[in-house]
Amino acid sequence: MPLTADMRRSIDQIRDYLFGGGYPDPVSNTEQLCFLFYFYLIQGLDAEATERARMLKLPFRSLFEGEWELRNPANAMVPGTREGWLPAAVLHTGTPCIPRSRFRWSVWAEELSGDALVRFVRDEVFPFFAEISEALAHDFMHGARLGIDEPTVLTQVVRLVGGLRLDQADADTKGDLFEHVLRQMKQAGELGQFRTPRHILRTIVEMVDPKVGETVYDPAAGTAGFLVAAYNHMRLANSSPGSIVEAELEGKVHRRGLGDRLTPAQVATLQRGSFFGNDVDPKMVRLATMNLSLRGLGNVRILQRNVLTTQLDEDARNRLGQPAEGFHIVLANPPFSGRIDKNRIVDAVKIGATSATELLFLKYMLDSLQSGGRAAVVVPEGVLFGSTVAHRELRRQLIEHHGVDAVMSLPGGVFQPYSGVKTSVLFFRRDGRTDRVLFLHVENDGYRLDANHDTPIEADDLPALAQAFIGREAAWARWLARDAAEEWNEKWWFADATALRTNDFSLSASRYRPMSQSQIEHQDPRALLDELAAIEAEIVEELEQLRSLLSEDDA
């Protein structure tokens, strides 16, 4: 069952009910929907597990068997409901209890409303499922609370969630629906994190080309968009022609495969040993866990962790099933705003005296790769040409001791409405050396570059530039064979290691672009503004470092 217009409208209705009912925070609202989806789906999952155990003649105890000690005695009996709601039994301790069967969505969600619904969900449903979650490999409901406590709003939202009939949807449809929910988050988080546009994710993953059997890691996973894109890419690569379909998402059509050529062993590998991630924000961890679970990756664990201030020892990595030699692939769009107290930064990620998160994350991700492992990381432009000691040293290490494959310059505004910062994607490999770098210049990404960045347009440089990267050996041969006196009209070009060293290891695409006379005379003012903004950010960082040094002297 594909994602339908009615399902989208239901999600939009939920958003409107929440906003109109006094719940304006889209991240909190998305988190609350995440919990309601979980409450709805677990009934069907439990029924499937019960039936499977019966057929295989295996012992099994349903989550809804037995009794539940009430947290609020007022929930012992709910007047005005159907006869299925009977007075609670009383334990020998005097504590009232009810059958656990009342926690099936088909019971409480369909029979309660108003104040009674709020009280039961707040005092019983959340504690009940939190207890279940605590026993799982990853307790994504730790500290969860009901945030929608207005009776009319909660009643309407619960009815609309039930009407989505998620139990009848396949994993892809549930995933698409959840992506539509995530699109309602129109602001960056307090820590600088925001949802990366899914067409950008898919392009980056296509370029890196993760294979079944490789480990994929996102140290700043957010809602797990990169991990989901990598999973879908592997399924598509292992699908027969008849199992590949076209799906519409965010106004664009893309291909999706069922993965019918995957062996049972490969499916198990994808479900349990391929994807890893962290995020510092507990809300993001919950959303990422739900995003993965809806796609059949419920065993993938997203840790709540700041990788810049904490380290996992060998025992912890073994316990979590992380590869001792490092990951095959790192994919990330880490937050790049703000600074971290230098005393909290672990020694392993330090680079010079900087506390800039974008540089620290880049150092950490490089060290997280196994030898020969590859990465694609979204970075602000200042990383590519900044002149601080830390900027230059990190670029020098990348170019002299590792392999920088490409830099893809994204247009300003590609991350609207969250941020207008100019960014690029840095593609690199651990170890080896950099002989040449392919620069890719994206002018249009298939969407209008306005304040919302959600209106599809025909102009789209991403497919052709992705193919130039994938076939970069042939592109290099063509570059070498060009006539340097002729204008170069492609949106990609190369620079060799000698040119990089001559330019202080700068990785700014515009520094090496073969420009015609008309381009020199009419350089895009937006590009100039982006470069000035990056220089300004660098100056601010240097001033902060000077202020920090002066404060230390005063102490």
Side-chain angles (χ1 to χ4, degrees), residues 510-555:
S510 60
R511 178 70 63 89
Y512 307 100
R513 184 171 190 173
M515 299 183 72
S516 66
Q517 187 61 37
S518 62
Q519 288 172 317
I520 293 172
E521 294 173 356
H522 304 288
Q523 189 171 356
D524 188 345
R526 291 174 297 184
L528 291 173
L529 287 173
D530 290 333
E531 189 164 333
L532 286 172
I535 293 171
E536 181 184 12
E538 183 184 341
I539 293 171
V540 170
E541 180 187 349
E542 291 177 332
L543 289 174
E544 288 297 326
Q545 290 183 13
L546 286 172
R547 185 177 287 110
S548 177
L549 289 172
L550 290 172
S551 299
E552 292 174 4
D553 290 342
D554 291 341

Side-chain angles (χ1 to χ4, degrees), residues 8 10 37 63 109 265 299 342 344 349 384 425 447 481 495 513:
R8 288 192 179 94
S10 293
F37 287 170
L63 298 172
N299 291 306
K342 290 182 180 179
R344 297 179 59 217
V349 303
L384 304 178
V425 186
Y447 291 85
R513 184 171 190 173

Side-chain angles (χ1 to χ4, degrees), residues 241-255:
S243 69
I244 296 176
V245 299
E246 291 188 340
E248 183 273 324
L249 193 63
E250 299 182 352
K252 293 282 187 176
V253 175
H254 66 97
R255 296 196 310 156

Side-chain angles (χ1 to χ4, degrees), residues 386-430:
S387 60
T388 70
V389 172
H391 280 88
R392 291 196 305 268
E393 175 59 19
L394 187 55
R395 291 198 305 270
R396 186 194 68 80
Q397 289 184 19
L398 279 169
I399 292 168
E400 298 284 25
H401 304 299
H402 306 282
V404 178
D405 289 322
V407 176
M408 183 166 70
S409 176
L410 298 175
V414 76
F415 291 118
Q416 292 285 20
Y418 310 101
S419 171
V421 66
K422 178 72 171 67
T423 59
S424 289
V425 186
L426 188 60
F427 297 84
F428 59 91
R429 292 167 285 109
R430 180 166 181 175

Side-chain angles (χ1 to χ4, degrees), residues 134-342:
E134 188 177 1
L136 300 176
H138 31 277
D139 181 11
F140 86 100
M141 283 199 65
H142 178 72
R145 299 288 185 273
L146 175 66
I148 309 170
D149 54 5
E150 204 289 319
T152 301
V153 174
L154 181 62
T155 300
Q156 293 289 354
V157 169
V158 166
R159 296 292 184 268
L160 286 168
V161 169
L164 293 172
R165 300 313 306 252
L166 293 175
D167 55 327
Q168 297 179 6
D170 58 30
D172 287 325
T173 301
K174 286 185 284 194
D176 289 346
L177 178 66
F178 197 65
E179 286 293 342
H180 189 70
V181 173
L182 294 177
R183 288 188 68 194
Q184 312 309 316
M185 297 191 300
K186 297 288 188 181
Q187 64 195 38
E190 294 179 1
L191 303 173
Q193 74 275 32
F194 49 79
R195 178 179 178 268
T196 307
R198 273 21 186 181
H199 65 289
I200 300 292
L201 293 181
R202 288 193 296 271
T203 299
I204 293 172
V205 168
E206 178 187 1
M207 295 164 73
V208 175
D209 190 23
K211 309 287 189 184
V212 177
E214 292 185 316
T215 50
V216 182
Y217 177 46
D218 186 345
T223 60
F226 264 122
L227 301 182
V228 167
Y231 174 60
N232 288 338
H233 178 84
M234 294 182 198
R235 291 172 64 208
L236 178 61
N238 290 275
S239 297
S240 61
S243 69
I244 296 176
V245 299
E246 291 188 340
E248 183 273 324
L249 193 63
E250 299 182 352
K252 293 282 187 176
V253 175
H254 66 97
R255 296 196 310 156
R256 170 181 292 153
L258 299 179
D260 57 309
R261 288 179 172 170
L262 292 168
T263 67
Q266 288 175 319
V267 171
T269 296
L270 290 176
Q271 291 177 339
R272 297 182 179 275
S274 296
F275 305 105
F276 302 85
N278 316 298
D279 202 276
V280 68
D281 187 341
K283 289 183 179 179
M284 292 297 113
V285 172
R286 288 169 182 154
L287 296 177
T289 301
M290 176 56 68
N291 198 10
L292 293 164
S293 297
L294 290 174
R295 301 168 191 277
L297 297 175
N299 291 306
V300 176
R301 182 171 185 178
I302 304 298
L303 301 178
Q304 184 183 340
R305 174 180 170 233
N306 187 338
V307 299
L308 304 182
T309 60
T310 62
Q311 277 186 289
L312 296 177
D313 59 26
E314 185 177 350
D315 289 341
R317 290 197 301 271
N318 290 337
R319 187 169 64 253
L320 294 167
Q322 296 187 2
E325 69 279 6
F327 299 95
H328 293 97
I329 296 170
V330 171
L331 301 168
N333 179 11
F336 34 77
S337 66
R339 297 291 182 267
I340 295 180
D341 185 343
K342 290 182 180 179

Side-chain angles (χ1 to χ4, degrees), residues 428-478:
F428 59 91
R429 292 167 285 109
R430 180 166 181 175
D431 298 333
R433 66 177 185 177
T434 301
D435 295 320
R436 60 182 181 266
V437 174
L438 171 62
F439 291 97
L440 307 158
H441 181 67
V442 182
E443 291 181 356
N444 291 289
D445 71 328
Y447 291 85
R448 185 178 298 160
L449 294 169
D450 56 15
N452 291 316
H453 191 233
D454 59 2
T455 303
I457 61 174
E458 288 297 321
D460 188 355
D461 298 323
L462 292 173
L465 292 179
Q467 289 306 309
F469 176 86
I470 293 168
R472 57 191 176 277
E473 291 300 325
W476 172 245
R478 183 181 166 196

